[in-house]
Amino acid sequence: MGKIKLSPSMMCADFLNLQRELDLFQQNEIDFLHIDIMDGHYVPNLTLGIDFCRSMKSYSPIPLDIHLMVENVDFFVERFCEFEGSWVSFHPETTWHPVRTIEVIKKRNCRAGIAIDTGVPIEQFKELYPLVDFVLIMTVTPGFAGQKLLPFCLDKIKQLKDYFNENNIRAEIEVDGNVSWESIPQMVENGATMLVNGSSSIFDKAYKRKEAIDRVRKMLEVYEKA
Ligand code: DX5
Ligand code: ZN
């Protein structure tokens, strides 16, 4: 199956010790920094912003995995694509023309992704799958960390994987929301190749950060060897 990529959700990070977080992530070959951008309109929350991303980029070489949960995505996508090499995902419902938004992201030398909300069937945006580098399957309704997984979303990962196999689509499948010790096996068995690790795995308060990273890696070994 190959290496499953880890993308810790930075809205869950210890904001008073970000350098320590980033140093540890780099020492442990963490693949991405998941950056949740929320505008208080598309989702009822405000989280990280462009200056946070600039600080991350100025200090760490780890690529950004920017998840845009914003109403006016075509305005914001131009700004967040300043971080070349980032993986930038958006909810297709937030633009009239998702194909054009994908083209903008790619033109700015970023990887393009679309996020499939919990209530959206995977068929709804199937025309976009051949155009993107990754698809983000939401397993919680977007807007907050610390929510409980919606079990019916687990099967959507498998439906997407099966659709990709049947149609020879090579996009990565990223899963976002309550990626926990209990849910990781099912998510990976269903086809996840990238995990957003938030409050119920890497940032689980019951563990030291390094212990939590090691525990995730240990859990994934059996799948990566398969
Ligand atoms: C929710 C965000 C997620 C969230 C994950 O809208 O997209 O990235 O931070 O946090 P947990 O893992 O706690 O659900
Ligand atoms: Zn996210």
Side-chain angles (χ1 to χ4, degrees), residues 32 34 64-67 86-90 102 105-106 110-116 128-129 131-137 160 164 169-175 193-194 196:
F32 293 98
H34 189 76
L64 304 185
D65 167 29
I66 299 170
H67 177 192
S86 296
W87 291 41
V88 179
S89 60
F90 66 97
I102 292 166
I105 294 172
K106 293 187 152 184
C110 290
R111 298 287 189 94
I114 54 168
I116 305 298
L128 301 177
Y129 296 150
L131 309 176
V132 296
D133 299 291
F134 66 112
V135 176
L136 183 65
I137 291 274
L160 190 68
F164 281 9
I169 292 170
R170 309 181 59 72
E172 300 267 2
I173 297 177
E174 183 174 16
V175 177
T193 59
M194 282 174 72
V196 174

Side-chain angles (χ1 to χ4, degrees), residues 68-126:
L68 296 174
M69 289 164 274
V70 297
E71 206 164 59
N72 180 359
V73 72
D74 293 314
F75 169 79
F76 286 103
V77 82
E78 292 286 354
R79 278 141 194 81
F80 283 94
C81 284
E82 93 174 40
F83 308 105
E84 283 208 16
S86 296
W87 291 41
V88 179
S89 60
F90 66 97
H91 291 253
E93 305 91 325
T94 59
T95 172
W96 291 111
H97 306 292
V99 173
R100 188 172 293 147
T101 307
I102 292 166
E103 287 165 355
V104 166
I105 294 172
K106 293 187 152 184
K107 236 181 257 150
R108 301 288 299 275
N109 299 319
C110 290
R111 298 287 189 94
I114 54 168
I116 305 298
D117 200 348
T118 47
V120 173
I122 66 121
E123 296 75 15
Q124 184 151 337
F125 295 107
K126 63 183 183 358

Side-chain angles (χ1 to χ4, degrees), residues 7-12 34-38 43 45 47 65 67 69 91 136 138-149 174-180 196-203:
S7 188
S9 178
M10 295 307 287
M11 72 183 274
C12 305
H34 189 76
I35 312 281
D36 288 308
I37 304 296
M38 301 183 190
V43 291
N45 197 0
T47 48
D65 167 29
H67 177 192
M69 289 164 274
H91 291 253
L136 183 65
M138 294 305 299
T139 41
V140 297
T141 294
F144 301 92
Q147 299 180 87
K148 276 278 150 269
L149 172 127
E174 183 174 16
V175 177
D176 186 1
N178 195 214
V179 175
S180 67
V196 174
N197 299 100
S199 61
S200 40
S201 52
I202 284 182
F203 295 104

Side-chain angles (χ1 to χ4, degrees), residues 21-30 59-62:
E21 302 270 41
L22 295 172
D23 290 342
L24 191 67
F25 289 164
Q26 195 170 347
Q27 289 149 19
N28 288 275
E29 294 165 359
I30 289 292
Y59 183 78
S60 172
I62 303 175

